[in-house]
Amino acid sequence: MEQREIDRLGRSVSAIGLGTWQLGADWGDVDGDSAVAVLQAAADGGVTFFDTADVYGDGRSEQTIGRFLREGGADGITVATKMGRRAQPHESEQYTLENFRAWTDRSRANLGVDRLDLVQLHCPPTPVFSTDAVYDRLDALVDEGAIAAYGVSVETRAEALEAIARPGVSSVQIILNMMRMGPLEEVLPAAREAGVGIIVRVPLASGLLSGRYDENTTFAPNDHRTFNRDGQAFDVGETFAGVPFATGLEAVRRLVPLAPAGATMAQFALRWVIDQPGVSTVIPGARSPEQAKANAAAADLEPLSADVLAAVEEVYRDVVAPEVAGRW
Ligand SMILES: NC(=O)c1ccc[n+]([C@@H]2O[C@H](COP(=O)([O-])OP(=O)(O)OC[C@H]3O[C@@H](n4cnc5c(N)ncnc54)[C@H](OP(=O)(O)O)[C@@H]3O)[C@@H](O)[C@H]2O)c1
């Protein structure tokens, strides 16, 4: 597996990582043993970067990773967690040093580590991005040894650029996929220039880009693909990348024939992400060991040709861009 250096993190991470929201909650049910098997399959495939959050299953995702690390699952794994969303209400006033200490203490206990490798603010309220004191508090956590580094998970391109401009920020997590191309223009070049890692989430548009869904596909009631279709629970852009389901299906039908021989649609979509200059790692969410293994193998595909990249962009421009109209 190709490893990519993140300058500001002082570490290398696998080009294909693993997202572990699925191992916590909100994606139907995944039991504890299956969750550990997903982590093992990813590590066996060369994945060295796991993304989690303190709120995924209220700590269940972190605890599963902790169990995996304790049981000696693999060496050299970087675990990135997130904090902020435990705040009720989720407002910028909650981003205090006291709360930061409490949240990181809980994540350290869940993961069973003294120091967290990377903590990302979990899509914080917009005012947080311009608050100097928040970055000072994060620097204090580094000085105290609770965390090795910090980053930010963002919703918008403007937020990404604001975070990249902060010298202490090591990474920015953002949505990028064949149906979400906005970050290619300014965000990725700026991150590259600054040595900030780009962690790409929702690379499969919540599974739409696997090419397995059709007009009759349904999801479990406790799956956000049922309950957040219109942004009822959190930002609508997090579910199917904010693309209306029927539009997504139409785009995928045009993308499938472009996939390289021997690659699945999901692998093609992941290869597309890691072929974008500036991407450090992509974190597909896997619900089974088979998915985790197949996703890791996408790094073995040849980089996509200029013709294929242009054809993918044409589908985006024709089908998706008119629907998302500058939003993303
Ligand atoms: N605010 C934030 O910071 C934030 C928000 C969202 C996500 N994330 C992170 O990003 C990670 C990835 O995003 P995501 O999980 O939302 O979306 P995603 O990776 O775009 O989609 C995940 C879904 O894709 C399908 N899939 C995965 N691998 C597959 C394969 N090999 N073949 C066929 N289908 C496959 C599965 O769908 P089925 O269920 O149909 O099998 C899976 O549930 C999360 O786990 C989380 O760590 C962070």
Side-chain angles (χ1 to χ4, degrees):
M1 168 79 71
E2 179 192 348
Q3 305 289 317
R4 296 181 174 183
E5 175 82 14
I6 299 180
D7 288 348
R8 287 213 198 158
L9 195 58
R11 279 175 183 246
S12 292
V13 297
S14 51
I16 307 268
L18 177 73
T20 67
W21 181 12
Q22 282 73 2
L23 310 188
D26 298 328
W27 291 79
D29 299 322
V30 179
D31 70 54
D33 287 340
S34 311
V36 171
V38 167
L39 300 175
Q40 188 67 60
D44 290 346
V47 167
T48 65
F49 186 83
F50 293 166
D51 176 79
T52 183
D54 56 0
V55 287
Y56 293 164
D58 198 23
R60 186 166 171 246
S61 172
E62 286 184 335
Q63 288 160 9
T64 304
I65 293 173
R67 179 179 152 197
F68 174 74
L69 297 176
R70 246 190 341 274
E71 290 172 359
D75 289 333
I77 301 271
T78 296
V79 180
T81 192
K82 308 189 197 80
M83 67 175 177
R85 298 249 154 198
R86 291 180 59 71
Q88 297 292 346
H90 183 227
E91 290 171 349
S92 41
E93 291 70 29
Q94 304 273 355
Y95 281 63
T96 62
L97 184 54
E98 197 187 357
N99 278 341
F100 282 177
R101 286 188 181 126
W103 294 332
T104 51
D105 283 352
R106 184 174 178 271
S107 291
R108 287 154 72 192
N110 281 341
L111 287 164
V113 299
D114 290 334
R115 192 164 64 148
L116 300 169
D117 297 332
L118 175 64
V119 174
Q120 306 157 94
L121 298 183
H122 199 164
C123 295
T126 302
V128 164
F129 287 85
S130 55
T131 306
D132 293 346
V134 168
Y135 300 94
D136 294 343
R137 291 166 201 149
L138 292 166
D139 287 333
L141 293 181
V142 174
D143 292 343
E144 291 168 8
I147 69 175
Y150 60 85
V152 192
S153 183
V154 306
E155 299 287 6
T156 69
R157 289 175 272 173
E159 289 171 349
L161 293 171
E162 218 168 340
I164 290 166
R166 297 284 175 165
V169 168
S170 295
S171 64
V172 165
Q173 184 180 131
I174 194 163
I175 300 179
L176 174 71
N177 61 46
M178 288 172 164
M179 299 201 280
R180 172 75 72 95
M181 296 201 188
L184 296 180
E185 279 168 29
E186 274 185 280
V187 174
L188 264 57
R192 229 175 143 194
E193 172 79 24
V196 171
I198 288 286
I199 300 166
V200 171
R201 73 172 181 273
V202 197
L204 301 174
S206 314
L208 246 179
L209 282 166
S210 72
R212 293 175 303 130
Y213 305 159
D214 63 24
E215 286 76 2
N216 301 315
T217 303
T218 56
F219 301 93
N222 61 347
D223 188 314
H224 72 101
R225 293 169 293 185
T226 300
F227 68 73
N228 196 50
R229 282 255 173 137
D230 301 309
Q232 300 94 319
F234 43 81
D235 194 282
V236 68
E238 303 290 348
T239 300
F240 303 127
V243 177
F245 195 68
T247 303
L249 292 176
E250 186 189 342
V252 171
R253 284 187 183 120
R254 283 185 51 181
L255 291 167
V256 166
L258 302 173
T264 65
M265 181 61 220
Q267 290 172 322
F268 174 36
L270 295 176
R271 184 70 237 186
W272 180 89
V273 171
I274 62 172
D275 280 343
Q276 306 306 318
V279 169
S280 308
T281 185
V282 60
I283 50 166
R287 293 211 308 146
S288 67
E290 292 72 28
Q291 287 184 351
K293 192 172 166 212
N295 293 342
D300 299 334
L301 297 175
E302 290 293 318
L304 301 173
S305 68
D307 285 351
V308 170
L309 292 173
V312 172
E313 192 178 338
E314 194 179 315
V315 175
Y316 172 76
R317 300 259 165 250
D318 286 357
V319 183
V320 179
E323 295 276 358
V324 297
R327 255 191 104 177
W328 295 292

